[in-house]
């Protein structure tokens, strides 16, 4: 009788751990963007966050979903990709609206300063359908980002459909998905380098990136995963630590005067 009760307890505990692990697998990748989303919304300043991070993750997860048609992988990873795509679209929507509002306010202040109060304040609209590569991924409307993502998805899906019987294509597709995700931090790294500052970037987000990527890479090494998995994982960890070094370096050796408001500075230091 006692053995049966013990077996039931172990079974329940095993199921509980499995559910927690599944939830962490599906939603764990989204968690780092929660503090960044809150910071942007609170400060109404998206300057410190690179929207190319969203581009990298959208491409990587769309390719991963298409890869599943050629080689099956567990459903949890599929849901992880779907939720990550939705999260990146939410981040893009926020950043676009904040950036547009900032540009509009700047124009208004400029008009007031030049006494052009009677003229209508307008900002230049940058549209995806203009096909101007000089402002690729810098469009004025969230709709344009949706159009771009939809166009890429349809094109990639059509190519995948044509070459789905090719093992080489399927393996290449899987490698591109993993490698693209490994480049996740490079847009933020470059954005910080351009700004000569990490102000506006959530340090919590980067710390979560680092812990997650370190754990994932260790898992790949311990389970003797294919070489491209742990190689790309090591690349991610290297980029994460480089961004953390930027945080230290630019805070200790400021490269430019603080250009944001006091509230923005305070929120950045609070992180």
């Amino acid at each position: 009788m006692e053995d049966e009760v013990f077996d039931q307890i172990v079974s329940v505990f095993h199921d509980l751990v499995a559910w927690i692990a599944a939830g962490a697998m599906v939603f764990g990748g989204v968690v780092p963007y929660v503090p960044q989303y809150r910071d942007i919304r609170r400060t109404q300043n998206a300057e410190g966050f690179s929207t190319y991070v969203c581009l990298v993750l959208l491409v990587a997860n769309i390719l991963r979903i298409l890869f599943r048609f050629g080689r099956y992988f567990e459903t949890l990873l599929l849901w992880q990709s779907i939720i990550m795509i939705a999260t990146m679209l939410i981040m893009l929507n926020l950043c676009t609206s904040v950036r547009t509002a900032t540009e509009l306010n700047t124009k208004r202040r400029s008009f007031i300063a030049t006494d052009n109060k009677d003229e209508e304040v307008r900002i230049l609209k940058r549209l995806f359908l203009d096909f101007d590569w000089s402002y690729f991924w810098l469009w004025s409307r969230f709709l344009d980002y949706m159009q771009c993502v939809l166009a890429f998805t349809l094109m990639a899906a059509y190519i995948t459909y044509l070459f789905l019987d090719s093992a080489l294509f399927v393996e290449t597709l899987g490698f591109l998905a993993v490698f693209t995700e490994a480049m996740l931090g490079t847009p933020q790294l470059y954005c910080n380098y351009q700004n000569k500052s990490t102000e506006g970037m959530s340090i919590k987000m980067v710390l979560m990136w680092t812990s997650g990527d370190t754990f994932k890479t260790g898992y790949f090494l311990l389970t003797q995963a294919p070489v491209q998995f742990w190689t790309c994982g090591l690349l991610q960890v290297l980029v994460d630590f480089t961004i953390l070094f930027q945080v230290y370096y630019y805070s200790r050796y400021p490269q430019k005067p603080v250009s944001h408001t006091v509230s923005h500075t305070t929120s950045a230091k609070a992180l």
Side-chain angles (χ1 to χ4, degrees), residues 53 56 179-192 201 206-207 209-210 213-214 217 231-247:
V53 170
V56 169
F179 181 74
T180 304
E181 187 173 358
M183 304 305 291
L184 164 65
T186 52
Q188 188 63 56
L189 181 71
Y190 183 68
C191 177
N192 296 340
M201 180 196 73
V206 181
L207 288 172
W209 279 355
T210 307
D213 293 339
T214 302
T217 303
T231 302
C232 292
L234 287 173
L235 178 60
Q236 280 184 284
V237 173
L238 176 63
V239 173
D240 293 341
F241 276 105
T242 306
I243 294 175
L244 290 175
F245 175 76
Q246 285 182 321
V247 174

Side-chain angles (χ1 to χ4, degrees), residues 68-256:
R68 194 173 191 264
F69 289 96
R71 173 174 288 189
Y72 179 83
F73 55 78
E74 57 182 324
T75 307
L76 283 177
L77 293 178
L78 175 64
W79 278 109
Q80 181 189 54
S81 292
I82 293 172
I83 291 173
M84 181 60 75
I85 289 172
T87 302
M88 291 303 101
L89 292 176
I90 292 172
M91 289 293 295
L92 278 174
N93 186 29
L94 175 65
C95 291
T96 305
S97 61
V98 167
R99 186 171 61 237
T100 302
T102 301
E103 290 179 5
L104 188 59
N105 289 334
T106 302
K107 283 278 188 179
R108 283 174 177 165
R109 286 195 295 267
S110 175
F111 269 57
I112 292 174
T114 55
D115 293 328
N116 292 327
K117 300 177 182 179
D118 296 332
E119 296 185 25
E120 184 180 357
V121 179
R122 295 180 181 180
I123 58 174
L124 177 65
K125 287 189 177 181
R126 302 179 292 269
L127 308 179
F128 167 68
L129 294 179
D130 290 340
F131 299 111
D132 188 338
W133 288 97
S134 63
Y135 48 78
F136 174 77
W137 211 250
L138 295 171
W139 301 303
S140 304
R141 306 176 305 172
F142 175 66
L143 175 63
D144 295 287
Y145 292 95
M146 289 295 296
Q147 290 173 344
C148 179
V149 170
L150 181 60
F152 172 79
T153 302
L154 292 176
M155 181 182 67
Y158 180 68
I159 295 174
T160 302
Y161 173 75
L162 292 178
F163 296 97
L164 196 58
D165 294 332
S166 169
L168 177 61
F169 173 81
V170 172
E171 292 301 322
T172 303
L173 184 65
F175 174 76
L176 285 175
V178 175
F179 181 74
T180 304
E181 187 173 358
M183 304 305 291
L184 164 65
T186 52
Q188 188 63 56
L189 181 71
Y190 183 68
C191 177
N192 296 340
Y193 173 76
Q194 277 192 317
N195 294 337
K196 303 299 181 186
S197 170
T198 58
E199 184 180 349
M201 180 196 73
S202 173
I203 300 176
K204 293 177 184 176
M205 177 185 71
V206 181
L207 288 172
M208 290 179 185
W209 279 355
T210 307
S211 59
D213 293 339
T214 302
F215 174 81
K216 180 175 62 178
T217 303
Y219 176 82
F220 289 154
L221 290 170
L222 290 174
T223 57
Q224 297 181 337
V227 63
Q228 61 264 37
F229 280 75
W230 61 262
T231 302
C232 292
L234 287 173
L235 178 60
Q236 280 184 284
V237 173
L238 176 63
V239 173
D240 293 341
F241 276 105
T242 306
I243 294 175
L244 290 175
F245 175 76
Q246 285 182 321
V247 174
Y248 165 78
Y249 182 81
Y250 289 134
S251 62
R252 189 172 181 85
Y253 306 103
Q255 303 293 304
K256 68 172 187 178

Side-chain angles (χ1 to χ4, degrees), residues 31-81:
V31 173
Y33 299 96
V34 174
Q36 183 68 73
Y37 181 91
R38 294 178 62 186
D39 288 343
I40 294 174
R41 189 157 188 176
R42 183 179 67 251
T43 62
Q44 289 298 296
N45 171 33
E47 181 183 343
F49 176 72
S50 174
T51 54
Y52 287 101
V53 170
C54 301
L55 174 62
V56 169
L57 280 175
L58 285 169
V59 170
N61 284 280
I62 290 170
L63 292 180
R64 186 199 287 183
I65 291 174
L66 294 175
F67 174 63
R68 194 173 191 264
F69 289 96
R71 173 174 288 189
Y72 179 83
F73 55 78
E74 57 182 324
T75 307
L76 283 177
L77 293 178
L78 175 64
W79 278 109
Q80 181 189 54
S81 292

